[in-house]
Amino acid sequence: RRVSSPNDPDFAELCVDGPTMEPQMYRFPAQTNKPCVIWDLPGVGTAGFPAETYLQNLGIRHFDVVVLITDQRFTEAELLLLDDLRHWNVPFFMVRNKIDLDVQRELESEQEVLDNRGFGDKLDNEERRDIVRETLINVKEDLSILHHVDSVYCISAIKEFWHSFDFPRLEQDLTV
């Protein structure tokens, strides 16, 4: 959950010891004339934040936009939140994090197929690009169809991959 750099006073600490338990505000480092903040909220349906009262208790229906982030599938509680956002006409972005792990699994799986052939072949750059592209397409299509949304953003929280997937597009779309 890093918003900027560790030297920035609005730096969002990387949380490795558990989920967010209290709402935390961060300034969004956008290059716009409009001030922008991001709220890191506890997960819907987590301890102390039941899905039934989440929207009301955290005031989400009054947000300008909501970014729903998951690293696998969206939970039932997150889908209830999605329904509430639609009901209150709150714009939202669906984000699939850790896409780098899916891409790596697919690359390893394809390499294993080649290895099992016993010829010592390695995936070339074009094959690797095709696997990355197909993985992104499949994840986006699955989530788009399943949740009836037009756009899904696939990102990685690992800084070296920020520009490899949809993070720049998400950042741009958030500032519009």
Side-chain angles (χ1 to χ4, degrees), residues 59-105:
I60 293 177
R61 72 179 186 180
H62 303 290
F63 282 30
D64 294 320
V65 66
V66 171
V67 181
L68 294 171
I69 303 174
T70 189
D71 65 353
Q72 295 177 5
R73 297 264 181 221
F74 286 91
T75 66
E76 184 176 334
E78 290 165 334
L79 296 177
L80 289 172
L81 175 59
L82 183 61
D83 289 342
D84 282 344
L85 294 173
R86 285 182 172 132
H87 173 79
W88 292 102
N89 296 314
V90 178
F92 62 87
F93 294 97
M94 290 191 83
V95 177
R96 174 58 161 69
N97 193 13
K98 299 184 183 178
I99 194 67
D100 54 293
L101 299 178
D102 295 294
V103 167
Q104 187 60 40
R105 271 192 299 273

Side-chain angles (χ1 to χ4, degrees), residues 13-162:
E13 289 294 324
L14 180 62
C15 180
V16 294
D17 59 348
T20 301
M21 296 306 293
E22 294 289 327
Q24 179 67 43
M25 183 190 78
Y26 300 99
R27 295 189 198 297
F28 186 70
Q31 303 299 322
T32 67
N33 293 331
K34 298 181 245 178
C36 182
V37 296
I38 291 180
W39 284 93
D40 183 8
L41 300 176
V44 61
T46 58
F49 298 92
E52 299 78 26
T53 58
Y54 189 84
L55 194 76
Q56 179 182 356
N57 289 349
L58 293 175
I60 293 177
R61 72 179 186 180
H62 303 290
F63 282 30
D64 294 320
V65 66
V66 171
V67 181
L68 294 171
I69 303 174
T70 189
D71 65 353
Q72 295 177 5
R73 297 264 181 221
F74 286 91
T75 66
E76 184 176 334
E78 290 165 334
L79 296 177
L80 289 172
L81 175 59
L82 183 61
D83 289 342
D84 282 344
L85 294 173
R86 285 182 172 132
H87 173 79
W88 292 102
N89 296 314
V90 178
F92 62 87
F93 294 97
M94 290 191 83
V95 177
R96 174 58 161 69
N97 193 13
K98 299 184 183 178
I99 194 67
D100 54 293
L101 299 178
D102 295 294
V103 167
Q104 187 60 40
R105 271 192 299 273
E106 288 300 316
L107 290 169
E108 289 171 359
S109 176
E110 289 297 319
Q111 185 59 56
E112 187 176 325
V113 169
L114 289 176
D115 292 345
N116 288 337
R117 291 184 183 164
F119 296 116
D121 294 338
K122 297 291 181 200
L123 292 169
D124 64 33
N125 286 339
E126 185 177 340
E127 290 170 319
R128 294 175 70 79
R129 278 191 300 274
D130 288 345
I131 292 167
V132 170
R133 184 177 46 77
E134 287 298 318
T135 302
L136 290 173
I137 288 170
N138 290 338
V139 168
K140 288 178 182 186
E141 283 181 354
D142 288 350
L143 289 173
S144 292
I145 291 167
L146 188 62
H147 304 301
H148 311 288
V149 294
D150 296 329
S151 185
V152 174
Y153 298 81
C154 292
I155 67 168
S156 172
I158 297 174
K159 191 171 184 174
E160 70 181 89
F161 296 127
W162 281 0

